Amino acid sequence: MVHARKAVTPQGILQYSMAPSSSFAGLILAAGKGTRMKSDLPKGLHEVAGVPMVQLVCQAVKGAGVERPIVVVGYRGDLVRETLGSCNDYAEQVEQLGTGHAALMAADLLKGHEGPVLVTPGDTPLLSSTTLRALFETYEREGAKATMATFVTVEPKGYGRIVRDEEGYVAAIVEEKDATSEQRQILEVNPAVYVFDCQTLLEILPTLGNTNAQGEYYLTDAIAEVRRRGGKVVATVFDDPDEFMGVNDRWQLAEAARIMRMRIVREHAMNGVTIVDPTSTYIGFDVEIEADATIQPMTVIEGNTRIARGASIGPNTWIKDSKVGQGCSVFMSHVDQAEMEEGSRCGPFSNLRPGTKLGRKVKVGNFVEIKNSQIGEGTAASHLAYIGDSTVGHDTNIGAGVITCNYDGFDKHRTQIGDHSFVGSNSTIIAPRTIGSGAMVAAGSVVNQDVPEDALAIGRARQENKEGWAAAWRKRH
Ligand code: UD1
Ligand code: CA
């Protein structure tokens, strides 16, 4: 039996499993405001597939074996710290004077560190642990003082260009704003992902100048300086430019999110899930989906959600933090913090709110809202109902338009409905109220007394027929 229940981690497919080693340090530069984002939020906190970009970078760095990355924060640094939590160390860059200056701000935290330090920007959300790990490995294998990644792109705009010498070694990185028109033609660019010998970097950082087009201290200049000092620099050309995509504006954010979404969706497809239209399917990192489930177009599945085999989800569906059992169907519906057991169905236009538990083979139809309620096996609420704070037994029928009045303006009250009972259409049940098993409630009743087992409750005005009255009325008009 194929049993492909698998969550996609942020680094998804490429997650590298490796015991974290204290001999690897990591530095993530995330102090910039991200002016081009035109946002009050620091750039690193903008989300890709529901996770802040800088958090994705932290996870990739940790996955590469760095136990406690150091994050350099600046613009709204408190918010960045609060979001990322205490599993990282932090350095503060009060004024954003450039990437070289940002790295220098971590000097105190790094000064005791012998060995390599990985340096990455906080705005490359698609980075994988595998790539970072490869840079560490090259560093160690080659006895380098610095290793770095490069990639070749037909759209080099905005990236530092890689200038190589006659022997093919990296001589310098030239920022676009400082590049000659000839250098701008270079298609090999700098993703700003480096591994340095930590002590060499710490010697170089205070010596960097800022006589360049932006008046900034560039970390990129450290590479040329390592070479000038006779250190070996190894640049590896990686062939997946997506991974190094730097996000500087909202359009690039949308593009990065699209690529990440495709990675996640593809992983589920490879695990045996039918994804009818990947471009309109949004699945969060922590969602687990078993094989042979089908995800229809225009569907968002978020949070800690589990979808069992054979389930059909969508189209036009939003599910968050929920469990959907084997063979269930969720059709054009909204499901939030709810559980559906095997074979149950909802939709179109059902609203399953927090605390809803549908037993096996429950049927919930259009415009039915359920909140904080347990519904027993085989029970149906097929049309236009509100069931709140209720326990409903098995094989019971809830008619169209049934309302549990659970709120008196101050407190919430529970409704109990037994097994094999029948609540007629448009009945109003004023909680707290119990309707026994096997009982029936006549359509249109206002139920303000408990109903014993197997009884019929009729709580409505008695109908009177006046013979000939309508005809007489018409005659008078
Ligand atoms: C940088 C590189 C460029 C590379 C590109 C890759 C430099 C000088 N340039 O350019 O070669 O192609 O990344 O995406 O390094 N930051 C700080 N403090 C600062 C300035 C920046 O912490 O004073 C942080 C930012 O928050 C960001 C990262 O460093 O996460 C990169 O800064 P950004 O301004 O985006 O640099 P780029 O112009 O993209
Ligand atoms: Ca950038």
Side-chain angles (χ1 to χ4, degrees):
M1 183 178 114
V2 209
H3 188 81
R5 173 187 283 178
K6 191 166 178 290
V8 181
T9 59
Q11 280 63 54
I13 324 103
L14 302 168
Q15 188 70 270
Y16 211 94
S17 65
M18 198 233 154
S21 155
S22 55
S23 65
F24 295 159
L27 192 56
I28 298 163
L29 309 182
K33 178 176 192 298
T35 313
R36 290 164 279 183
M37 297 295 280
K38 301 186 177 154
S39 175
D40 289 338
L41 202 64
K43 177 160 70 174
L45 295 189
H46 282 268
E47 293 180 354
V48 163
V51 180
M53 287 198 277
V54 58
Q55 190 172 322
L56 291 170
V57 176
C58 282
Q59 284 165 4
V61 168
K62 284 180 186 166
V66 175
E67 212 167 353
R68 272 183 85 79
I70 300 165
V71 185
V72 182
V73 297
Y75 173 73
R76 301 193 71 188
D78 288 348
L79 191 59
V80 178
R81 280 177 204 230
E82 197 185 303
T83 306
L84 294 179
S86 58
C87 52
N88 310 296
D89 289 319
Y90 296 93
E92 178 115 18
Q93 185 193 27
V94 179
E95 260 188 294
Q96 279 75 64
L97 302 178
T99 48
H101 180 259
L104 180 62
M105 298 301 104
D108 277 351
L109 288 167
L110 286 170
K111 67 175 181 253
H113 178 70
E114 301 290 338
V117 58
L118 169 72
V119 186
T120 71
D123 63 354
T124 44
L126 302 170
L127 267 184
S128 75
S129 300
T130 310
T131 294
L132 301 180
R133 182 72 201 128
L135 286 178
F136 275 129
E137 276 165 7
T138 308
Y139 175 90
E140 278 172 354
R141 195 182 54 238
E142 300 279 337
K145 284 284 183 225
T147 54
M148 58 177 290
T150 74
F151 66 97
V152 176
T153 172
V154 288
E155 288 174 60
K157 196 172 180 315
Y159 290 103
R161 308 296 204 278
I162 306 297
V163 179
R164 291 188 181 255
D165 63 19
E166 310 80 57
E167 287 152 82
Y169 290 107
V170 175
I173 303 165
V174 182
E175 290 306 291
E176 183 165 271
K177 287 182 179 144
D178 300 295
T180 62
S181 57
E182 209 167 67
Q183 287 170 329
R184 281 186 201 183
Q185 306 303 310
I186 299 173
L187 300 180
E188 186 183 9
V189 298
N190 172 34
V193 180
Y194 327 85
V195 171
F196 288 98
D197 169 62
C198 189
Q199 293 308 316
T200 305
L201 181 67
L202 292 181
E203 281 168 30
I204 290 173
L205 288 176
T207 70
L208 294 175
N210 66 348
T211 44
N212 52 50
Q214 301 185 81
E216 288 184 0
Y217 298 91
Y218 289 164
L219 180 61
T220 44
D221 291 345
I223 290 290
E225 184 58 19
V226 171
R227 278 208 64 192
R228 207 187 59 77
R229 291 170 181 232
K232 185 171 178 185
V233 174
V234 181
T236 308
V237 187
F238 285 83
D239 55 15
D240 178 12
D242 285 352
E243 211 189 296
F244 298 111
M245 187 185 165
V247 171
N248 296 318
D249 57 40
R250 306 258 187 160
W251 190 241
Q252 289 170 331
L253 181 71
E255 178 62 9
R258 187 188 63 79
I259 294 167
M260 187 64 100
R261 207 160 68 230
M262 286 305 136
R263 280 190 190 173
I264 296 173
V265 168
R266 180 176 187 281
E267 178 80 354
H268 286 291
M270 298 319 276
N271 285 342
V273 177
T274 297
I275 308 285
V276 175
D277 177 20
T279 58
S280 70
T281 302
Y282 300 72
I283 301 177
F285 289 116
D286 297 328
V287 173
E288 292 179 12
I289 310 179
E290 290 182 3
D292 283 332
T294 299
I295 314 298
Q296 302 283 351
M298 289 167 286
T299 291
V300 180
I301 309 175
E302 296 183 344
N304 183 17
T305 294
R306 301 222 310 259
I307 312 275
R309 36 188 321 115
S312 172
I313 311 295
N316 293 323
T317 288
W318 185 88
I319 303 181
K320 188 177 184 195
D321 295 329
S322 295
K323 274 190 202 158
V324 178
Q326 200 170 318
C328 285
S329 159
V330 180
F331 180 65
M332 300 212 264
S333 289
H334 177 276
V335 178
D336 182 14
Q337 297 168 64
E339 280 182 48
M340 296 172 68
E341 281 183 35
E342 197 175 330
S344 59
R345 303 155 47 186
C346 70
F349 315 114
S350 304
N351 185 7
L352 305 188
R353 291 174 48 203
T356 295
K357 281 189 182 160
L358 305 186
R360 292 154 57 95
K361 298 188 178 156
V362 166
K363 180 171 180 265
V364 176
N366 50 280
F367 306 109
V368 173
E369 174 180 346
I370 305 183
K371 187 215 78 172
N372 191 28
S373 297
Q374 295 78 48
I375 313 294
E377 178 168 351
T379 285
S382 301
H383 345 258
L384 305 152
Y386 172 62
I387 303 173
D389 301 303
S390 301
T391 305
V392 182
H394 62 81
D395 300 300
T396 279
N397 187 76
I398 306 289
V402 168
I403 305 285
T404 57
C405 305
N406 59 328
Y407 185 51
D408 59 14
F410 296 94
D411 297 305
K412 301 282 171 65
H413 302 283
R414 291 200 70 86
T415 297
Q416 312 268 352
I417 301 174
D419 306 326
H420 292 285
S421 39
F422 183 98
V423 182
S425 293
N426 231 36
S427 293
T428 300
I429 302 163
I430 302 173
R433 205 58 53 214
T434 297
I435 296 173
S437 288
M440 297 181 84
V441 173
S445 293
V446 174
V447 178
N448 59 6
Q449 298 166 39
D450 288 350
V451 182
E453 279 188 18
D454 295 320
L456 167 69
I458 309 178
R460 65 187 183 216
R462 188 176 283 276
Q463 183 174 331
E464 197 186 331
N465 290 339
K466 300 187 175 183
E467 293 291 342
W469 191 97
W473 170 255
R474 274 196 298 275
K475 214 170 186 177
R476 265 188 279 139
H477 285 76

